[in-house]
């Protein structure tokens, strides 16, 4: 497995992932999110970051900035965000980006990009939440976003992730990172189908019947990814869990 913790995945790489991604964007998705969050709680301190991300295609951009602005404004209205009149830039590409507070401690963002050689606009709807956000508000936001996506005719995929530091209780047990990662895999009732390990990082890709969302990695079906990375400055272990995979730096 690649050293994913070295690279923050950006929209252009996500555009390649989406083709092999399967997600049932309905009530099952909200149940999976709750299961993901509840299962990791015993292993992680409360100071964590939760991310919900929906990616898909909508409308027609074709690399034309005015089209990106028009689609961006349409989706800003649909998701209750202030419209943006000027495109910004990310990795030398023009993008439309708007954001708004979705709940206490949570910010929602809609990003529109126009991948080279594609007519459709690439859409990323994201919610970043802290531990202050009520879990029920998170699930409700996802459910409402699902409904809006269906109303707009956007077919896409959900990705849910949580990241934080390993709890003091777990650290006091003085078990290895590999043992801890395996315990978390067992908690999710997952079978390890791929793994990557180096001096400071361990990553496990799991097949678990508890999740319907999945992505193909070679011949393997992956439903969940668990990663531990030890920070060089503090020595603390950072834990990241995502379904069906992690698409953020860990």
């Amino acid at each position: 497995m690649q050293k994913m913790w070295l690279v923050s995945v950006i929209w252009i790489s996500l555009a390649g992932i989406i083709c092999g991604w399967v997600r049932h964007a309905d009530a099952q998705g909200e149940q999976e999110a709750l299961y993901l969050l509840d299962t990791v709680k015993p292993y992680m301190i409360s100071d964590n970051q939760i991310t919900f991300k929906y990616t898909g295609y909508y409308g027609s951009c074709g690399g034309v900035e005015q089209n990106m602005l028009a689609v961006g404004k349409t989706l800003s209205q649909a998701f209750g965000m202030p419209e943006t009149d000027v495109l910004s830039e990310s990795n030398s590409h023009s993008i439309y980006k708007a954001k708004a507070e979705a709940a206490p401690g949570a910010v929602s963002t809609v990003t529109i990009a126009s991948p080279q050689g594609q007519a459709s606009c690439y859409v990323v709807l994201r919610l970043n939440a802290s531990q202050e956000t009520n879990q029920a508000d998170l699930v409700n936001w996802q459910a409402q976003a699902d409904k809006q996506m269906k109303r707009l005719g956007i077919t896409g995929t959900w990705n849910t992730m949580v990241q934080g530091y390993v709890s003091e209780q777990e650290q006091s047990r003085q078990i290895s990172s590999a043992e801890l990662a395996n315990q978390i895999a067992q908690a999710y009732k997952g079978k390890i189908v791929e793994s990557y390990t180096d001096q400071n990082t361990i990553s496990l890709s799991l097949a678990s019947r508890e999740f319907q969302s999945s992505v193909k990695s070679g011949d393997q079906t992956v439903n969940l990814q668990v990663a531990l990375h030890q920070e060089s400055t503090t020595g603390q272990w950072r834990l990241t869990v995502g379904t069906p995979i992690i698409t953020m730096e860990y």
Side-chain angles (χ1 to χ4, degrees):
M1 175 168 287
Q2 297 176 339
K3 297 183 180 180
M4 292 180 65
W5 59 273
L6 288 173
V7 181
S8 296
V9 179
I10 57 175
W11 66 267
I12 198 164
S13 59
L14 284 174
I17 292 173
I18 194 173
C19 296
W21 201 319
V22 178
R23 160 58 97 182
H24 298 267
D26 51 21
Q28 179 66 30
E30 287 88 69
Q31 292 302 314
E32 289 185 7
L34 283 173
Y35 181 66
L36 175 79
L37 299 174
D38 288 340
T39 303
V40 80
K41 279 182 180 179
Y43 303 95
M44 189 180 289
I45 61 176
S46 59
D47 186 15
N48 54 53
Q49 179 75 28
I50 301 167
T51 300
F52 287 73
K53 187 190 299 180
Y54 189 97
T55 55
Y57 290 94
Y58 175 75
S60 178
C61 283
V64 179
E65 292 191 350
Q66 288 303 315
N67 293 347
M68 293 173 64
L69 278 171
V71 170
K73 289 181 179 183
T74 296
L75 295 184
S76 293
Q77 292 178 2
F79 295 104
M81 301 178 194
E83 296 179 18
T84 300
D85 293 321
V86 180
L87 297 179
S88 55
E89 189 173 290
S90 176
N91 295 284
S92 301
H93 295 276
S94 294
I95 62 169
Y96 176 96
K97 193 169 187 178
K99 64 180 180 179
E101 184 179 45
V107 175
S108 59
T109 306
V110 63
T111 303
I112 311 298
S114 184
Q116 186 174 3
Q118 293 187 2
S120 298
C121 309
Y122 183 66
V123 179
V124 179
L125 178 66
R126 183 178 182 130
L127 182 75
N128 287 332
S130 69
Q131 74 279 2
E132 300 173 0
T133 310
N134 187 292
Q135 192 164 286
D137 289 338
L138 294 176
V139 176
N140 181 64
W141 178 88
Q142 186 186 25
Q144 294 304 313
D146 257 345
K147 291 179 181 178
Q148 194 67 290
M149 290 293 183
K150 289 176 181 177
R151 186 184 70 81
L152 292 167
I154 302 176
T155 301
T157 60
W158 276 110
N159 176 214
T160 306
M161 294 166 287
V162 58
Q163 183 177 83
Y165 291 100
V166 174
S167 67
E168 294 181 2
Q169 181 179 352
E170 288 297 326
Q171 292 186 52
S172 67
R173 295 172 57 201
Q174 296 183 339
I175 62 174
S176 69
S177 58
E179 290 173 317
L180 177 57
N182 275 278
Q183 286 184 11
I184 297 171
Q186 292 175 13
Y188 282 107
K189 304 175 184 177
K191 175 186 176 183
I192 300 171
V193 294
E194 290 182 340
S195 65
Y196 168 82
T197 305
D198 64 21
Q199 185 176 355
N200 300 105
T201 305
I202 181 167
S203 172
L204 303 178
S205 297
L206 314 176
S208 172
R209 293 182 179 178
E210 301 300 310
F211 298 91
Q212 291 187 18
S213 53
S214 65
V215 63
K216 279 290 186 180
S217 179
D219 295 331
Q220 303 291 345
T221 298
V222 176
N223 304 101
L224 187 77
Q225 187 179 0
V226 176
L228 285 163
H229 176 68
Q230 188 176 35
E231 295 185 343
S232 57
T233 53
T234 65
Q236 285 186 289
W237 284 95
R238 187 168 65 243
L239 170 61
T240 310
V241 181
T243 179
I245 57 173
I246 297 169
T247 59
M248 65 191 295
E249 184 178 0
Y250 61 77

